[in-house]
Amino acid sequence: MATLTYDLHTVDVNDEGYLTDPHQWSLELAHEMAREMGIELTDTHIAVLNFLRERYLAEQPLTIRRIGKSGIVTIKEFYGLFPGGPLKVSSKIAGIPKPASCV
Amino acid sequence: MEATTLTQPTPAVAEKHLVKKVLIICARGTLEDVYAALVMANGALMEGMEAKMFFTFFGLDAIRKEKQDHLHTATVGNPAIPIPTMVGGLPGMEALASAMMRKEMDKLDIPPVSEFMEMIVAGGGEIYACKLAADMFKLEREDLIDDLVDIITVGDMYALAEGDGTQIIFI
């Protein structure tokens, strides 16, 4: 299994860089991962990450539409917060697997 | 005779040409064709690509305010639908089959056409209508969705596809 080392943390990841164990995640790690991707996490980013983790750990499917209906961000804001494929980018920073979603 | 040394050409390293933009042309107005276009456009945006949509001919129904959420699937002449052709032709069958499909899609979190287009626009996608088809069906700007960028010519449409890594998809 591959590992990735950010500033202070070393985590197990798959070949696309997604954490293989969501319990290795921490908020500090999220900040480090986001910085590496050129994103400075704000409170809104963190609220989205928490939402994603909650839903993932509750085994509920993740879609862009669900995030738009979360009450945390609109879909437009979501794209703005995590540029370059928001669901993929945010899931990676949230330490959960890449969502297998087509919508 | 002097031997000439031939230098072996260095094998080209296979370069990945990623898709950066999709231009999706939708000329059909059936439920499944319009959804195929929407899923692909939205999917491109989700992957961080650009997406432009161009609706023409019967595809215009997908961007007509009063029609877009009432699209039908064909129950006659559609061998994939498990309804005998004679039954499929009865009044109301098409509406019934379409309503059933919409219900199944909702379960999978697939939104109605109008909401799907709002999602695409929110993700930076752009929606255009074909001028020739709009003229032919006598449609005005106000008949079409507010999010429509413009009614454009075929030449303008090709201009949307400019740049490396663009794919044009026709439905």
Side-chain angles (χ1 to χ4, degrees), chain B residues 39-116:
Chain B
V39 169
M40 284 194 274
N42 186 62
L45 295 166
M46 284 172 68
E47 290 300 310
M49 302 173 208
E50 270 186 77
K52 318 267 182 198
M53 302 190 83
F54 180 77
F55 289 91
T56 185
F57 269 83
F58 298 116
L60 283 176
D61 276 4
I63 53 170
R64 287 175 73 171
K65 280 176 192 164
E66 85 282 17
K67 283 212 170 184
Q68 64 174 178
D69 286 330
H70 308 283
L71 301 178
H72 282 180
T73 190
T75 47
V76 171
N78 183 351
I81 284 247
I83 302 173
T85 294
M86 300 300 281
V87 180
L90 294 175
M93 274 314 288
E94 217 174 71
L96 179 72
S98 306
M100 279 168 65
M101 269 175 74
R102 273 195 283 268
K103 215 168 106 186
E104 287 304 311
M105 288 196 288
D106 191 55
K107 283 186 202 160
L108 291 173
D109 220 15
I110 304 174
V113 172
S114 57
E115 187 190 335
F116 216 158

Side-chain angles (χ1 to χ4, degrees), chain A residues 63 65-66 75 79 85 88, chain B residues 45-47 109 115 119 123:
Chain A
T63 61
R65 189 189 191 196
R66 283 265 174 264
I75 292 174
Y79 272 91
K88 282 193 315 181
Chain B
L45 295 166
M46 284 172 68
E47 290 300 310
D109 220 15
E115 187 190 335
M119 287 170 57

